[in-house]
Amino acid sequence: MAAVIPSNPAAWLNLTGRVAIVTGSGSGIGRSICQTLAAAGCAVVAADLDAEKVKETAGMIAKEDSKAICFPVKTDVSDSAEVEKLFKRAEEMSQDLFSAPPSILVNCAGITRDGWIGNLTPGEFDDVLSVNLLGPWLTSRQFSLRKSYFPSSPHSGSIINISSIVALHGNLGQSNYAASKAGVLGLTRSLSKELSTYNIRVNCILPGFISTPMSSAVPDKIKENMVQKIALGRFGRVEDVADLTAFLASERSGYMTGCEINCDGNIAM
């Protein structure tokens, strides 16, 4: 007999009582992920370098549902000490609410410093790798230090890394960004093997061209050329990535780890 999916998505995902840490929560995909997880019943710790933007995210979630829980935290994910503080604050909140540590981590923080390789500086290369690759490694490391909780937990720990379709195909003027996002794939593959023993799953989403504040800086002519290469004939919405993230956070994906899922409308790069 086929399973019956409840009409309430939150009931189907069954994320109530769990705590999620989401980096890059100040806008775009990260903000949408926070909204989606909160709507599904999660208590969300929203982290971002921009304190005002992440407060806006928390305010939007509270406006959408007065019972939703979202704590904004200013965090530089490339700074080991700040990441450690983020997890300690999230753990304190989680223990107060549910007597359990955060069980979901979404690594969405990312920056670009685009330019042809001859025009890029070593500092611009390092800046991108520090946020886009070192950041997920630092947060995943902190998450792994709580690994003793998950073997006896009724649900697995879940790390979801947001990479990019550029990691597979590269892109003009984005040698630093493509390298960082390809590194996220390697990180996902390795951690999925390391942490599986502890009932922690690690998966990766590769968004294509998604309409976000970051992509709004792309010239219109390039956007017009890009959409012609997408089989579905449109740019992605932040909700497309957020919905997939919520699925990977839930036990509905409980037999999935080490997976790399394209969310790109079938783009021909």
Side-chain angles (χ1 to χ4, degrees), residues 223-236:
K223 292 180 183 179
E224 292 170 4
N225 291 335
M226 190 67 71
V227 76
Q228 294 177 14
K229 299 178 180 180
I230 301 172
L232 289 181
R234 65 170 177 86
F235 298 137

Side-chain angles (χ1 to χ4, degrees), residues 3-266:
V4 177
I5 300 176
S7 57
N8 181 357
W12 186 73
L13 290 170
N14 193 27
L15 293 174
T16 301
R18 299 182 63 180
V19 175
I21 298 174
V22 183
T23 70
S25 298
S27 63
I29 293 173
R31 173 175 284 177
S32 184
I33 289 171
C34 289
Q35 292 172 305
T36 300
L37 291 178
C42 269
V44 178
V45 179
D48 199 276
L49 184 60
D50 191 323
E52 293 306 313
K53 287 290 187 182
V54 77
K55 286 179 182 177
E56 286 180 13
T57 297
M60 292 171 67
I61 289 172
K63 188 174 181 180
E64 292 165 0
D65 182 355
S66 60
K67 295 181 180 179
I69 300 172
C70 181
F71 289 85
V73 182
K74 181 182 182 298
T75 306
D76 180 354
V77 296
S78 68
D79 186 309
S80 178
E82 288 205 21
V83 171
E84 185 175 356
K85 288 180 182 177
L86 166 67
F87 270 77
K88 286 182 178 179
R89 289 187 65 183
E91 194 166 36
E92 290 171 359
M93 183 203 78
S94 184
Q95 291 289 349
D96 289 342
L97 289 173
F98 307 119
S99 299
S103 59
I104 299 164
L105 168 64
V106 184
N107 286 309
C108 190
I111 63 171
T112 57
R113 296 287 186 271
D114 294 350
W116 295 97
I117 189 168
N119 297 325
L120 286 174
T121 66
E124 289 170 327
F125 187 89
D126 288 342
D127 287 347
V128 170
L129 263 71
S130 292
V131 175
N132 297 6
L133 182 55
L134 177 61
W137 185 85
L138 289 172
T139 56
S140 296
R141 179 179 180 276
Q142 285 296 321
F143 194 90
S144 74
L145 295 178
R146 281 79 178 169
K147 61 182 180 291
S148 61
Y149 166 75
F150 295 103
S152 59
S153 171
H155 48 253
S156 58
S158 181
I159 299 175
I160 302 107
N161 294 320
I162 307 299
S163 178
S164 169
I165 201 68
V166 170
L168 300 179
H169 303 286
N171 199 27
L172 295 171
Q174 289 194 313
S175 58
N176 49 3
Y177 184 78
S180 70
K181 291 302 188 178
V184 170
L185 296 183
L187 178 67
T188 300
R189 293 164 184 162
S190 295
L191 293 185
S192 67
K193 297 177 184 296
E194 285 189 27
L195 300 180
S196 60
T197 301
Y198 304 102
N199 196 29
I200 297 173
R201 300 180 295 110
V202 188
N203 293 292
C204 190
I205 299 173
L206 290 78
F209 200 101
I210 308 296
S211 296
T212 67
M214 185 182 291
S215 65
S216 65
V218 177
D220 289 340
K221 186 174 181 180
I222 294 178
K223 292 180 183 179
E224 292 170 4
N225 291 335
M226 190 67 71
V227 76
Q228 294 177 14
K229 299 178 180 180
I230 301 172
L232 289 181
R234 65 170 177 86
F235 298 137
R237 298 180 291 263
V238 290
E239 292 84 2
D240 295 324
V241 183
D243 289 343
L244 181 53
T245 301
F247 169 70
L248 290 175
S250 77
E251 289 305 310
R252 295 293 177 177
S253 59
Y255 199 53
M256 296 175 65
T257 193
C259 298
E260 300 156 12
I261 306 173
N262 292 9
C263 186
D264 65 353
N266 191 11

